[in-house]
Amino acid sequence: MVLQAVRYQPGSLEILNQLKLPHQEEYDAVRSAEDGWHAIKEMRTRGAPAIAIVAALSLAVELQNSTLSDKAEEVAALVVEKLDYLVTSRPTAVNLADAARKLKKIVESAAGAEQSSGDSVAKAYYDAAAQMLISDVSDNEGIGKYGAEWIEKQAGGGKVSVVTHCNTGSLATAGYGTALGVVRSLHSNGSLKQAFCTETRPYNQGSRLTAFELVHDKIPATLITDSMASALLRLKGSAERITAIVVGADRVAANGDTANKIGTYQLAITAKYHGVKFLIAAPRTTIDLETKSGADITIEERAGKEMTMIKGPRFDGVDLDLNQQETVSIAAKGIDVWNPAFDVTPADLIDGIVTEIGVVEKDSNGKFDLTVAMEAHHESVKPNSVGGL
Ligand code: MRU
């Protein structure tokens, strides 16, 4: 069975509640933009592409289940207002703002069309929102394919191991995943020796979600804490043939600086020190040419209690009691806490950025030119040729 973070059909949207994973698989109904905003803010759904898709579809189901004005401009204004609200749920991932910008353009042009009506504007909106769910899966399959080929080429044959961080799989997207899609592709090509996934403190997307996906798909994998990554590369790097660290992204700036889950930056530093490739895997909707460098990216800070408390089902030494969720304090009471959800990895530390149309590498000046990738069309770009254009 394929893991599905988002279940949509016209009029109905459900999200897998990721706060309950890995122990319980429960779907929550999302009936409105307000429900979508809360699901994103509370991390019941998360991951840059999934956030954008859930936000867009939450408004689609609201429109599908409401009595709308028959005036095209009124429906367009309502959609724009709700999209602006949805964008306020989480600030760092650009996919949501990018989706909102594209959807606003679609409804504005539908409202301006001849013989437009409230219904025609609403239909243009939810058709476009539904298409995002479909395109995300095919984009991820492209990312997986090109990323796996690139890593296999770096290793020059034989099986490879990789390290990944946070959760970038089916749970963070409409399906397949970005960095975890690369891991899936390596595995299905028969070239994966071992995937190492970090725990990803403080929210544990690695141990709760990525480990869950890896076990679910029977991919050979080992869990480490974030603080073990350098020791892993030093002590097991050559025996395990660790060729790359592959991670996702929440926003890639025009110069290649990349915001991703907190802890990504230290992984890039240790990759460079140990001569391991560092690959960013993201759809082009995550590239933001308007943001010139990492210094311009807003980093979300989350509540201190996400670091000082840990939640999970009660364990009596033998069994888990799924009916008893407990919160346990794991820090000294009164300590000050800093809890940034993301960090920025400078482009200097990144070897490649793989999107659905190929891998972008640095040019002869040691710079990423992401405009080429953004302007290229799928059909016109050959595998792995973006960096060479
Ligand atoms: O706080 P989260 O869980 O939403 O953070 C997720 C990440 O940082 C992912 O690496 C990123 O969104 C890419 S998901 C394909």
Side-chain angles (χ1 to χ4, degrees):
M1 209 192 70
V2 176
L3 278 175
Q4 241 187 324
V6 182
R7 284 184 185 162
Y8 169 75
Q9 57 187 41
S12 148
L13 173 65
E14 289 182 330
I15 53 149
L16 184 56
N17 181 348
Q18 301 194 22
L19 296 177
K20 300 252 168 113
L21 289 174
H23 306 297
Q24 280 161 297
E25 288 176 53
E26 269 181 30
Y27 282 85
D28 291 355
V30 176
R31 297 190 176 84
S32 62
E34 198 179 343
D35 278 2
W37 189 95
H38 283 284
I40 294 166
K41 186 82 183 168
E42 293 155 18
M43 308 274 287
R44 281 181 283 131
T45 194
R46 28 70 47 211
I51 289 172
I53 290 163
V54 169
L57 292 175
S58 68
L59 177 52
V61 292
E62 178 173 332
L63 298 177
Q64 286 154 353
N65 293 313
S66 311
T67 311
L68 297 171
S69 157
D70 49 17
K71 294 203 175 63
E73 321 74 65
E74 286 182 13
V75 173
L78 177 79
V79 168
V80 167
E81 182 198 317
K82 301 256 176 189
L83 286 171
D84 286 341
Y85 160 71
L86 282 160
V87 168
T88 63
S89 55
R90 290 188 75 193
T92 303
V94 72
N95 306 55
L96 172 53
D98 179 67
R101 188 181 48 79
K102 289 176 180 152
L103 289 164
K104 279 185 199 172
K105 252 175 122 173
I106 286 167
V107 291
E108 276 156 6
S109 101
E114 254 180 64
Q115 295 188 332
S116 62
S117 63
D119 278 352
S120 69
V121 171
K123 185 172 178 330
Y125 175 82
Y126 47 74
D127 285 353
Q131 187 55 42
M132 286 181 174
L133 186 68
I134 297 163
S135 310
D136 190 53
V137 179
S138 54
D139 285 353
N140 293 340
E141 287 166 353
I143 292 169
K145 171 180 151 54
Y146 297 131
E149 285 171 1
W150 187 84
I151 292 173
E152 286 160 359
K153 203 169 99 196
Q154 306 301 321
K159 289 200 172 200
V160 298
S161 295
V162 292
V163 177
T164 191
H165 187 56
C166 194
N167 174 264
T168 59
S170 297
L171 296 170
T173 61
Y176 202 72
T178 57
L180 206 57
V182 174
V183 173
R184 283 198 164 93
S185 285
L186 285 169
H187 182 59
S188 59
N189 291 350
S191 47
L192 182 73
K193 186 166 158 48
Q194 197 73 5
F196 291 90
C197 69
T198 57
E199 183 185 30
T200 320
R201 281 279 294 144
Y203 225 78
N204 296 338
Q205 289 94 331
S207 56
R208 291 190 303 111
L209 309 177
T210 300
F212 177 72
E213 291 201 37
L214 290 165
V215 170
H216 180 276
D217 285 11
K218 301 189 173 55
I219 295 175
T222 304
L223 176 66
I224 58 168
T225 70
D226 304 5
S227 48
M228 293 170 189
S230 295
L232 174 77
L233 296 190
R234 188 175 188 92
L235 301 176
K236 288 184 179 264
S238 37
E240 295 285 350
R241 299 197 80 226
I242 299 176
T243 306
I245 297 183
V246 54
V247 299
D250 288 85
R251 191 182 295 245
V252 181
N255 69 347
D257 290 354
T258 296
N260 190 48
K261 181 50 54 194
I262 192 73
T264 301
Y265 175 35
Q266 67 189 14
L267 288 173
I269 293 171
T270 200
K272 174 76 97 200
Y273 185 80
H274 291 94
V276 165
K277 295 289 177 195
F278 195 80
L279 182 65
I280 299 291
R284 290 184 298 166
T285 49
T286 308
I287 298 174
D288 178 14
L289 297 180
E290 301 290 303
T291 297
K292 296 294 164 225
S293 79
D296 304 318
I297 301 176
T298 304
I299 299 292
E300 175 187 8
E301 292 198 14
R302 295 192 59 93
K305 67 175 190 295
E306 291 181 359
M307 267 170 71
T308 58
M309 304 281 172
I310 202 149
K311 285 183 190 162
R314 190 176 141 53
F315 180 60
D316 65 9
V318 182
D319 293 311
L320 290 178
D321 182 351
L322 298 182
N323 295 318
Q324 281 212 55
Q325 294 293 321
E326 297 200 337
T327 301
V328 178
S329 163
I330 53 165
K333 210 170 158 213
I335 188 70
D336 182 37
V337 170
W338 178 54
N339 184 17
F342 302 96
D343 59 26
V344 174
T345 299
D348 295 0
L349 299 174
I350 298 169
D351 295 296
I353 299 171
V354 55
T355 73
E356 64 274 23
I357 60 165
V359 180
V360 185
E361 291 176 340
K362 287 175 182 151
D363 61 20
S364 51
N365 299 318
K367 305 272 179 226
F368 285 113
D369 182 358
L370 294 169
T371 51
V372 182
M374 293 307 274
E375 282 157 13
H377 296 292
H378 282 76
E379 300 76 20
S380 63
V381 178
K382 289 190 209 82
N384 290 334
S385 69
V386 179
L389 282 177

